């Protein structure tokens, strides 16, 4: 349902719910879009009640109540369509916030003015609609939204084909939810939730994981902060042969010392670990855990994607893992690390010839540029290279060396200092490049950029070229920028973005003093 909503996926022309509007009338166009959006959801609800010609609900495979919430919170919906949406039979689903007036028209002398629209009790209304729809969706495989535990306990026994859920709060997984999934959803395999800040989250989530059918969970993702830790890590071993994707964002510092409890989960193909503060140095303060985590990752022989963000010991942990001949890492992302002590890590990158994508972000101060460039230059099959901050002191010849060796690049994001037209001859040999972001103090000329564009070929079709820190003293004129945009669009249907570097000594007058 989420994928056919007009706002989230462009809409549908099959249902005419409002007159056509003239091009350029933005307000009327937006109103039409919201009207279609509301109509799609209203039809689904009516279908769940058996009041449509076709049983639309019976064909739904994915129900995303986040989209319904966005509709209810949209101002135009609340102002213009909410009353009509809940007319007649659907009035049973409407729950209003106490004290909020219904919308009504107040006529003035010149034109009608609207009173502030009333506000729905969004969660209660969504839950009532979700309850009706899930009664008539035997094919449903995916359920997403801000759903309460009470609702899940009622809905899950109906959803025998359910395979994955994305929830706002993990607290919805309590009170035996795992047991119900065990009994009624034999194909359930993927769980994602945004947060679970409750103090008892660790033990409650561990209980849920143990309630599920053993060796059934294949993917787990926690998007934001949660209080999970040692008990959860240990319980995940109940799925150690099936768990392939594990993404844990914003791990609290106290839980970092328990990461080694995941050591049984060796079937992983994708791993993401992010600490909340980025301050825990396992190598110094928890050396036993540090060594055990290295041992765990060495056992994950199917691991293909690794992302460490704000993980202070990440580079030191990854270095011996990257040096293992049997490891075949395809994508590696490491951000917010101390580059001055990462020489060994940078050199170890060259050992993973399987790498196709690298994303690195760290301070430029103290970063040893030559070993980094030398190692990256050996990864001749790279498709994507994103360097942020740590390449701030790259010069022309560093970028040229990368371009000379990484001929298969499709995306290149790089910074630098004093970058000139000298790079274009080598960059033009990247025949598959589709995105080039140069976030470097640069002094490119109009002729230099045009010459590069003229050399582009079919493999560069749709190229997005961004020059984000052009030196103001040698900047392109507005006419020059327009010419580059037109030429790039004509050559490969590409686009060009251009931004001047900001003088750090300049005074910002964007906010004037009221005094």
């Amino acid at each position: 349902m989420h994928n056919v909503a007009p706002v989230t996926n462009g809409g549908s022309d099959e249902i005419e719910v409002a007159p056509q509007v003239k091009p350029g009338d933005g307000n009327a166009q937006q109103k039409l879009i919201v009207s279609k959006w509301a109509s799609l959801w209203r039809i689904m609800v009516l279908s769940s009640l058996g009041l449509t010609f076709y049983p639309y609900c019976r064909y739904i495979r994915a129900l995303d109540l986040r989209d319904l919430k966005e509709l209810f919170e949209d101002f135009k919906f609340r102002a213009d369509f909410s009353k009509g949406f809940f007319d007649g039979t659907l009035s049973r689903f409407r729950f209003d916030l106490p004290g909020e007036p219904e919308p009504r028209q107040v006529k003035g002398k010149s034109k009608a003015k609207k009173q502030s629209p009333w506000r729905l009790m969004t969660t209660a209304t969504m839950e009532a609609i979700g309850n009706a729809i899930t009664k008539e969706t035997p094919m449903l495989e995916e359920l997403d939204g801000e759903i309460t535990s009470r609702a899940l306990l009622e809905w899950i026994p109906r959803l025998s084909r359910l395979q994955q859920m994305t929830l706002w709060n993990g607290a919805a997984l309590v009170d035996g939810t795992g047991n119900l999934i065990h009994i009624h959803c034999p194909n359930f395999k993927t769980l994602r939730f945004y947060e679970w800040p409750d103090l008892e989250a660790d033990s409650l989530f561990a209980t849920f994981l143990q309630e599920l059918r053993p060796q059934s969970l294949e993917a787990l993702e926690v998007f934001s902060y949660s209080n999970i830790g040692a008990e959860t890590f240990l319980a995940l071993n109940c799925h150690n042969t099936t768990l392939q994707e594990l993404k844990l964002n914003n791990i609290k510092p106290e839980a970092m010392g328990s990461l080694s409890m995941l050591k049984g989960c060796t079937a992983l193909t994708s791993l993401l670990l992010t600490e909340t503060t980025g301050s825990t140095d396992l190598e110094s303060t928890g050396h036993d855990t540090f060594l055990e985590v290295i041992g765990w990752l060495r056992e994950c022989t199917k691991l293909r994607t690794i992302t460490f963000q704000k993980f202070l010991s990440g580079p030191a942990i990854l270095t011996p893992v990257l040096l293992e001949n049997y490891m075949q890492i395809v994508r590696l992302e490491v951000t917010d690390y101390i580059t001055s002590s990462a020489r060994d890590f940078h050199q170890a990158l060259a050992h993973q010839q399987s790498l196709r994508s690298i994303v690195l972000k760290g301070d430029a101060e103290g970063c040893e540029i030559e070993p980094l460039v030398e190692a990256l230059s050996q990864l001749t099959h790279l498709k994507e290279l994103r360097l942020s901050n740590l390449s701030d002191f790259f010069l022309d010849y560093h970028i040229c060396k990368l371009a000379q060796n990484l001929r298969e690049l499709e995306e290149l994001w790089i910074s630098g200092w004093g970058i000139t037209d000298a790079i274009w001859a080598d960059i033009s040999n990247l025949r598959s490049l589709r995105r080039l972001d140069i976030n470097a103090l640069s002094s490119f000329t109009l002729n230099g950029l045009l010459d590069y564009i003229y050399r582009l070929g079919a493999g560069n079709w749709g190229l997005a070229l961004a020059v984000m820190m052009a030196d103001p003293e040698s900047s392109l004129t507005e006419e020059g920028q327009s010419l580059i945009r037109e030429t790039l669009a004509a050559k490969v249907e590409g686009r060009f973005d251009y931004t001047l570097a900001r003088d750090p000594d300049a005074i910002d007058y964007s906010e004037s003093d009221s005094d």
Side-chain angles (χ1 to χ4, degrees):
M1 184 66 209
H2 179 75
N3 290 333
V4 298
V7 171
T8 56
N9 201 40
S12 169
D13 293 328
E14 296 178 359
I15 304 172
E16 291 296 335
V17 293
Q20 295 297 315
V21 298
K22 296 179 180 180
D25 190 343
N27 187 59
Q29 186 67 34
Q30 187 178 6
K31 188 174 180 178
L32 176 63
I33 290 173
V34 175
S35 175
K36 289 185 176 183
W37 187 11
S39 180
L40 284 169
W41 273 108
R42 180 175 168 83
I43 288 171
M44 286 303 109
V45 181
L46 289 171
S47 173
S48 72
L49 302 176
L51 298 177
T52 55
F53 185 77
Y54 293 106
Y56 298 109
C57 278
R58 302 193 69 81
Y59 303 105
I60 293 178
R61 293 182 182 274
L63 178 63
D64 192 340
L65 295 175
R66 294 172 298 181
D67 183 77
L68 183 60
K69 181 181 180 181
E70 289 176 9
L71 174 66
F72 287 161
E73 293 179 348
D74 184 272
F75 179 80
K76 285 195 174 296
F77 171 81
R78 291 188 278 117
D80 300 316
F81 302 107
S82 54
K83 189 170 184 178
F85 185 92
F86 292 104
D87 269 351
T89 305
L90 268 62
S91 62
R92 73 181 77 172
F93 299 108
R94 193 181 85 182
F95 296 88
D96 302 342
L97 288 168
E100 292 283 351
E102 283 199 20
R104 61 186 178 86
Q105 298 290 331
V106 181
K107 293 185 178 180
K109 292 183 179 180
S110 58
K111 64 178 181 178
K113 294 183 179 180
K114 292 181 182 177
Q115 202 180 50
S116 297
W118 101 95
R119 298 285 301 279
L120 294 174
M121 293 177 64
T122 305
T123 301
T125 303
M126 283 195 310
E127 194 169 303
I129 289 175
N131 187 50
I133 292 177
T134 54
K135 289 178 181 178
E136 303 297 330
T137 51
M139 305 294 288
L140 193 69
E141 298 175 353
E142 181 178 349
L143 179 63
D144 303 335
E146 193 171 329
I147 305 168
T148 65
S149 173
R150 179 182 64 253
L152 282 183
L153 292 174
E154 187 172 358
W155 300 356
I156 285 173
R158 311 166 184 163
L159 308 178
S160 61
R161 292 175 178 255
L162 187 66
Q163 295 184 23
Q164 56 181 299
M165 285 195 302
T166 301
L167 306 172
W168 178 259
N169 196 319
L173 301 171
V174 300
D175 298 328
T177 304
N179 277 327
L180 285 179
I181 293 175
H182 186 153
I183 296 169
H184 299 284
C185 310
N187 299 316
F188 185 78
K189 58 185 179 181
T190 301
L191 174 65
R192 301 180 179 93
F193 61 85
Y194 284 86
E195 65 176 16
W196 197 344
D198 302 353
L199 294 178
E200 65 275 19
D202 192 25
S203 60
L204 291 174
F205 191 38
T207 298
F208 169 83
L209 293 169
Q210 291 163 347
E211 289 174 345
L212 295 176
R213 181 177 286 105
Q215 308 302 341
S216 62
L217 193 65
E218 296 181 9
L220 170 65
E221 181 167 8
V222 181
F223 294 105
S224 189
Y225 180 76
S226 70
N227 257 315
I228 65 173
E231 292 186 59
T232 294
F233 299 160
L234 191 60
L236 280 169
N237 287 278
C238 295
H239 307 276
N240 60 349
T241 64
T242 56
L243 188 64
Q244 298 176 33
E245 180 180 308
L246 180 61
K247 298 182 178 181
L248 303 177
N249 284 285
N250 290 313
I251 303 171
K252 59 183 181 179
E254 311 90 273
M256 294 296 289
S258 302
L259 283 175
S260 59
M261 292 186 178
L262 291 164
K263 61 186 178 183
C265 300
T266 56
L268 293 176
T269 60
S270 179
L271 175 66
L272 180 150
L273 299 176
T274 304
E275 190 194 348
T276 303
T277 63
S279 60
T280 304
D281 186 354
L282 290 180
E283 188 174 11
S284 300
T285 62
H287 197 65
D288 289 345
T289 299
F290 172 79
L291 295 176
E292 289 173 354
V293 170
I294 292 174
W296 164 45
L297 295 183
R298 279 173 159 163
E299 294 297 319
C300 297
T301 57
K302 298 178 181 178
L303 199 55
R304 298 294 179 264
T305 301
I306 302 176
T307 302
F308 283 176
Q309 298 171 343
K310 295 201 294 186
F311 193 164
L312 196 59
S313 299
I317 288 173
L318 288 173
T319 299
V321 176
L322 295 174
L323 292 174
E324 295 291 357
N325 291 326
Y326 55 81
M327 298 299 292
Q328 297 290 312
I329 308 301
V330 175
R331 187 179 192 280
L332 179 65
E333 178 175 348
V334 183
T335 66
D336 306 294
Y337 67 101
I338 300 174
T339 59
S340 59
S341 58
R343 180 188 177 104
D344 290 345
F345 165 63
H346 291 157
Q347 292 178 322
L349 294 172
H351 200 76
Q352 287 294 311
Q353 290 295 310
S354 55
L355 278 166
R356 297 295 180 269
S357 173
I358 291 182
V359 179
L360 300 177
K361 179 182 178 182
D363 291 335
E365 289 291 339
C367 180
E368 296 186 55
I369 295 177
E370 303 303 332
L372 173 60
V373 173
E374 181 62 33
L376 292 173
S377 296
Q378 296 179 52
L379 299 171
T380 56
H381 298 296
L382 270 185
K383 305 292 186 184
E384 176 188 27
L385 177 61
R386 300 192 183 200
L387 303 178
S388 181
N389 297 350
L390 80 169
S391 59
D392 283 354
F393 297 141
F394 276 26
L395 302 175
D396 283 342
Y397 77 91
H398 294 122
I399 297 177
C400 288
K401 182 169 184 176
L402 291 174
Q404 290 164 9
N405 290 279
L406 308 181
R407 295 298 183 89
E408 297 180 17
L409 277 179
E410 297 174 1
E411 294 190 24
L412 175 60
W413 304 55
I414 200 163
S415 55
W417 187 263
I419 307 304
T420 71
D421 288 337
I423 69 170
W424 294 125
D426 290 308
I427 294 291
S428 65
N429 289 321
L430 302 178
R431 310 309 294 172
S432 300
L433 196 65
R434 300 293 183 87
R435 176 145 195 168
L436 175 59
D437 274 45
I438 303 177
N439 192 16
L441 187 66
S442 59
S443 54
F444 300 130
T445 65
L446 176 62
N447 288 336
L449 284 161
L450 288 175
D451 184 57
Y452 168 64
I453 293 171
Y454 293 145
R455 299 186 192 186
L456 296 175
N460 305 118
W461 197 259
L463 174 70
L465 172 60
V467 176
M468 305 308 295
M469 283 183 58
D471 188 341
E473 295 185 1
S474 57
S475 61
L476 300 174
T477 64
E478 291 293 334
E479 293 78 7
Q481 294 176 44
S482 296
L483 178 58
I484 290 171
R485 289 190 181 94
E486 293 169 3
T487 306
L488 185 59
K491 182 69 174 178
V492 293
E493 291 192 6
R495 70 177 189 271
F496 176 64
D497 293 315
Y498 189 77
T499 304
L500 296 179
R502 182 177 179 180
D503 185 350
D505 297 324
I507 300 175
D508 185 3
Y509 293 104
S510 60
E511 295 184 6
S512 60
D513 293 333
S514 59
D515 295 338

